[in-house]
Amino acid sequence: MNILIITPSVLINFFLARGILKAGDEHPRTALTLLLLGIGGNIVFLSYFKYVNFLLQIANDTVGTSFVLDQILLPLGISFITFQKIAFLVDVYTGRVSFFTFRSYCLFVFFFPQLIAGPIVHYREMMPQFDKATGRVMAEDLAVGFGLFFFGLFKKVILADGIAPYVSPIFTAAANGEPTTLIYAWIATIGFTLQVYFDFSGYSEMALGAARCFGIRLPMNFNSPLKATSIIDFWTRWHITLVRFLTVYVFNPMAFALSRQRSQAGLRGIVGSKTSLAAFASVLVLPTMITMFLSGLWHGAGYGYIVWGVLHGSYLVINHAWHIYRPRFWPDNRSHDRIMAPIGFILTFCAVVLAMAFFRSSSIEAGLTLMRGMLGLNGVSLPNAVGIQLGDWKPAGVALVWSSGKGFIQSIAWMVFLLAVAWLMPNTLEIFRKFRPALDFKSPLEPARGADAQGAHGLARRSPVWQLSTSWAIGTAVVATIGILALGQPTEFLYWQF
């Protein structure tokens, strides 16, 4: 069914790309018209399946209409495929892709490991690998591929699904209008943050592993974002290829156009700590907020996703303002980095968790209920059994409620364990770094840059390195067996729906 729905769009995009390529520099207006037609068509195609019901809901909420919301079949991975098709059209228009065949185009679009939930890949980074592929099965690729895949499967079905039963009931209670108290609100939001963290991390590694079995390296899409020391750092580690797409095709064009307008008007743009507030608002704040609004809308058709995107846009604006204006009153970079790194780590984690209250909630009201709980405005409560065990140690003002004391303790234990894994252990890319697990993840012998620098040359140097050895084969087999046996339990990939 997915193929029947998506194939017409794929064919239309192919012929539009051929038309853009044929028009070339000789007919720039025709090429631009075809590009805009393609982008608009892809957006309409995505909007019908993903957003038409949301638009009807907005109409019902704002003007009192009574449109009936029907169930529309959402093709798997439609968002990722649509973004890849848009990126392909733009790359053809700008000359980054100068030759392609129907066979190579279909191979690029339908390569299954990244089809459902990314990463979002570019034609120019994938086709050279396909062209060099010999078609022979390489033992090292299979070993590394299966290792990555089963590590990712373990993260998904054991770690992410393990904490899910403790998270969902609290969000359900908030959706039903029940006030969520302090500790339970933080359990819900931190728990869901860890659930989606290991869900997305696990899928990303499964995609890398499946592709590597064919000798293909996909780009890195996830690199320990909960270790970030700023929200800017977080977004260089979380959903890396989506950020790359939005930066190149949304943020940069807006920022450059606004900078050009200011320059033509004789006004300065971003010039370090001397940047005016007007320039900051025009060139950086506006593009950032629009980009993150679209990021939230891309993740899902709902008010909560939009609030989540706007919150992250606000975080980024504050972070950029700090970077630009901080040297005015704190010029010593060394002392700043030493003092602010741990503070930034805590602030970033709390900001990410706070936004997750809206990302997971079924309504704005439920998200606000959780946020009030996180701020302590709904009071503090503990299970009756836990309160009895605390005895005189129970803090004053803490209410006792009839809920599972065992479940409460287990949820805390899961949170502590998963936070330790996310914060203290090397990620899978660092463990597999010797074998270049991702297209843009550098091995220790190569210079690293950006968010990869800390992983490749910091913790990764001290972390265990996966080897083609008997001991690692046994360890991988154990991880694979646990993951496969757990497949019988209820499970859901969170990120495929985005």
PDB file of all heavy atoms in Angstrom, residues 291-305:
ATOM      1  N   THR A 291      12.230  28.385  11.675  1.00  0.00           N
ATOM      2  CA  THR A 291      12.807  27.058  11.443  1.00  0.00           C
ATOM      3  C   THR A 291      12.356  26.067  12.503  1.00  0.00           C
ATOM      4  O   THR A 291      11.962  24.936  12.193  1.00  0.00           O
ATOM      5  CB  THR A 291      14.342  27.137  11.420  1.00  0.00           C
ATOM      6  OG1 THR A 291      14.761  28.024  10.381  1.00  0.00           O
ATOM      7  CG2 THR A 291      14.945  25.766  11.171  1.00  0.00           C
ATOM      8  N   MET A 292      12.408  26.456  13.773  1.00  0.00           N
ATOM      9  CA  MET A 292      12.025  25.536  14.837  1.00  0.00           C
ATOM     10  C   MET A 292      10.512  25.333  14.896  1.00  0.00           C
ATOM     11  O   MET A 292      10.047  24.268  15.300  1.00  0.00           O
ATOM     12  CB  MET A 292      12.553  26.039  16.177  1.00  0.00           C
ATOM     13  CG  MET A 292      14.071  26.032  16.275  1.00  0.00           C
ATOM     14  SD  MET A 292      14.823  24.462  15.761  1.00  0.00           S
ATOM     15  CE  MET A 292      14.142  23.329  16.968  1.00  0.00           C
ATOM     16  N   PHE A 293       9.742  26.335  14.485  1.00  0.00           N
ATOM     17  CA  PHE A 293       8.296  26.138  14.342  1.00  0.00           C
ATOM     18  C   PHE A 293       8.030  25.032  13.318  1.00  0.00           C
ATOM     19  O   PHE A 293       7.218  24.131  13.556  1.00  0.00           O
ATOM     20  CB  PHE A 293       7.637  27.439  13.909  1.00  0.00           C
ATOM     21  CG  PHE A 293       6.191  27.294  13.504  1.00  0.00           C
ATOM     22  CD1 PHE A 293       5.186  27.317  14.461  1.00  0.00           C
ATOM     23  CD2 PHE A 293       5.844  27.130  12.168  1.00  0.00           C
ATOM     24  CE1 PHE A 293       3.847  27.173  14.085  1.00  0.00           C
ATOM     25  CE2 PHE A 293       4.519  26.978  11.786  1.00  0.00           C
ATOM     26  CZ  PHE A 293       3.519  26.998  12.751  1.00  0.00           C
ATOM     27  N   LEU A 294       8.727  25.096  12.183  1.00  0.00           N
ATOM     28  CA  LEU A 294       8.567  24.066  11.155  1.00  0.00           C
ATOM     29  C   LEU A 294       9.076  22.717  11.642  1.00  0.00           C
ATOM     30  O   LEU A 294       8.524  21.674  11.289  1.00  0.00           O
ATOM     31  CB  LEU A 294       9.301  24.490   9.878  1.00  0.00           C
ATOM     32  CG  LEU A 294       8.725  25.705   9.157  1.00  0.00           C
ATOM     33  CD1 LEU A 294       9.608  26.091   7.978  1.00  0.00           C
ATOM     34  CD2 LEU A 294       7.306  25.430   8.690  1.00  0.00           C
ATOM     35  N   SER A 295      10.130  22.725  12.453  1.00  0.00           N
ATOM     36  CA  SER A 295      10.638  21.479  13.024  1.00  0.00           C
ATOM     37  C   SER A 295       9.578  20.828  13.897  1.00  0.00           C
ATOM     38  O   SER A 295       9.350  19.611  13.819  1.00  0.00           O
ATOM     39  CB  SER A 295      11.899  21.743  13.848  1.00  0.00           C
ATOM     40  OG  SER A 295      12.315  20.576  14.528  1.00  0.00           O
ATOM     41  N   GLY A 296       8.926  21.632  14.741  1.00  0.00           N
ATOM     42  CA  GLY A 296       7.858  21.080  15.566  1.00  0.00           C
ATOM     43  C   GLY A 296       6.702  20.565  14.739  1.00  0.00           C
ATOM     44  O   GLY A 296       6.181  19.460  14.984  1.00  0.00           O
ATOM     45  N   LEU A 297       6.301  21.324  13.722  1.00  0.00           N
ATOM     46  CA  LEU A 297       5.195  20.915  12.858  1.00  0.00           C
ATOM     47  C   LEU A 297       5.551  19.662  12.077  1.00  0.00           C
ATOM     48  O   LEU A 297       4.695  18.799  11.826  1.00  0.00           O
ATOM     49  CB  LEU A 297       4.838  22.059  11.905  1.00  0.00           C
ATOM     50  CG  LEU A 297       3.537  21.928  11.098  1.00  0.00           C
ATOM     51  CD1 LEU A 297       2.346  21.816  12.029  1.00  0.00           C
ATOM     52  CD2 LEU A 297       3.366  23.093  10.149  1.00  0.00           C
ATOM     53  N   TRP A 298       6.821  19.533  11.683  1.00  0.00           N
ATOM     54  CA  TRP A 298       7.265  18.347  10.950  1.00  0.00           C
ATOM     55  C   TRP A 298       7.120  17.102  11.821  1.00  0.00           C
ATOM     56  O   TRP A 298       6.753  16.027  11.332  1.00  0.00           O
ATOM     57  CB  TRP A 298       8.719  18.506  10.509  1.00  0.00           C
ATOM     58  CG  TRP A 298       9.271  17.300   9.811  1.00  0.00           C
ATOM     59  CD1 TRP A 298       9.174  16.987   8.488  1.00  0.00           C
ATOM     60  CD2 TRP A 298       9.999  16.214  10.406  1.00  0.00           C
ATOM     61  NE1 TRP A 298       9.801  15.792   8.219  1.00  0.00           N
ATOM     62  CE2 TRP A 298      10.312  15.293   9.381  1.00  0.00           C
ATOM     63  CE3 TRP A 298      10.422  15.937  11.702  1.00  0.00           C
ATOM     64  CZ2 TRP A 298      11.026  14.124   9.620  1.00  0.00           C
ATOM     65  CZ3 TRP A 298      11.131  14.764  11.944  1.00  0.00           C
ATOM     66  CH2 TRP A 298      11.421  13.882  10.909  1.00  0.00           C
ATOM     67  N   HIS A 299       7.399  17.231  13.111  1.00  0.00           N
ATOM     68  CA  HIS A 299       7.356  16.067  13.992  1.00  0.00           C
ATOM     69  C   HIS A 299       5.941  15.534  14.175  1.00  0.00           C
ATOM     70  O   HIS A 299       5.769  14.335  14.457  1.00  0.00           O
ATOM     71  CB  HIS A 299       7.967  16.399  15.353  1.00  0.00           C
ATOM     72  CG  HIS A 299       9.453  16.268  15.389  1.00  0.00           C
ATOM     73  ND1 HIS A 299      10.310  17.291  15.020  1.00  0.00           N
ATOM     74  CD2 HIS A 299      10.250  15.240  15.736  1.00  0.00           C
ATOM     75  CE1 HIS A 299      11.562  16.890  15.141  1.00  0.00           C
ATOM     76  NE2 HIS A 299      11.555  15.645  15.580  1.00  0.00           N
ATOM     77  N   GLY A 300       4.950  16.368  14.052  1.00  0.00           N
ATOM     78  CA  GLY A 300       3.599  15.856  14.213  1.00  0.00           C
ATOM     79  C   GLY A 300       2.544  16.928  14.032  1.00  0.00           C
ATOM     80  O   GLY A 300       2.810  18.120  14.205  1.00  0.00           O
ATOM     81  N   ALA A 301       1.339  16.483  13.690  1.00  0.00           N
ATOM     82  CA  ALA A 301       0.219  17.403  13.485  1.00  0.00           C
ATOM     83  C   ALA A 301      -0.519  17.557  14.808  1.00  0.00           C
ATOM     84  O   ALA A 301      -1.454  16.819  15.108  1.00  0.00           O
ATOM     85  CB  ALA A 301      -0.708  16.865  12.400  1.00  0.00           C
ATOM     86  N   GLY A 302      -0.087  18.513  15.599  1.00  0.00           N
ATOM     87  CA  GLY A 302      -0.719  18.746  16.894  1.00  0.00           C
ATOM     88  C   GLY A 302      -0.166  19.996  17.534  1.00  0.00           C
ATOM     89  O   GLY A 302       0.960  20.419  17.248  1.00  0.00           O
ATOM     90  N   TYR A 303      -0.956  20.586  18.416  1.00  0.00           N
ATOM     91  CA  TYR A 303      -0.525  21.818  19.071  1.00  0.00           C
ATOM     92  C   TYR A 303       0.722  21.591  19.930  1.00  0.00           C
ATOM     93  O   TYR A 303       1.586  22.462  20.034  1.00  0.00           O
ATOM     94  CB  TYR A 303      -1.656  22.361  19.946  1.00  0.00           C
ATOM     95  CG  TYR A 303      -2.886  22.773  19.194  1.00  0.00           C
ATOM     96  CD1 TYR A 303      -4.105  22.150  19.414  1.00  0.00           C
ATOM     97  CD2 TYR A 303      -2.853  23.806  18.260  1.00  0.00           C
ATOM     98  CE1 TYR A 303      -5.252  22.528  18.734  1.00  0.00           C
ATOM     99  CE2 TYR A 303      -3.989  24.204  17.576  1.00  0.00           C
ATOM    100  CZ  TYR A 303      -5.185  23.555  17.807  1.00  0.00           C
ATOM    101  OH  TYR A 303      -6.307  23.939  17.132  1.00  0.00           O
ATOM    102  N   GLY A 304       0.810  20.438  20.573  1.00  0.00           N
ATOM    103  CA  GLY A 304       1.935  20.162  21.449  1.00  0.00           C
ATOM    104  C   GLY A 304       3.260  20.184  20.717  1.00  0.00           C
ATOM    105  O   GLY A 304       4.269  20.679  21.243  1.00  0.00           O
ATOM    106  N   TYR A 305       3.283  19.650  19.493  1.00  0.00           N
ATOM    107  CA  TYR A 305       4.518  19.654  18.707  1.00  0.00           C
ATOM    108  C   TYR A 305       4.940  21.080  18.356  1.00  0.00           C
ATOM    109  O   TYR A 305       6.136  21.401  18.342  1.00  0.00           O
ATOM    110  CB  TYR A 305       4.340  18.830  17.433  1.00  0.00           C
ATOM    111  CG  TYR A 305       4.100  17.366  17.676  1.00  0.00           C
ATOM    112  CD1 TYR A 305       2.847  16.798  17.424  1.00  0.00           C
ATOM    113  CD2 TYR A 305       5.101  16.546  18.165  1.00  0.00           C
ATOM    114  CE1 TYR A 305       2.612  15.455  17.648  1.00  0.00           C
ATOM    115  CE2 TYR A 305       4.879  15.193  18.390  1.00  0.00           C
ATOM    116  CZ  TYR A 305       3.639  14.652  18.131  1.00  0.00           C
ATOM    117  OH  TYR A 305       3.405  13.330  18.368  1.00  0.00           O
TER     118      TYR A 305
END
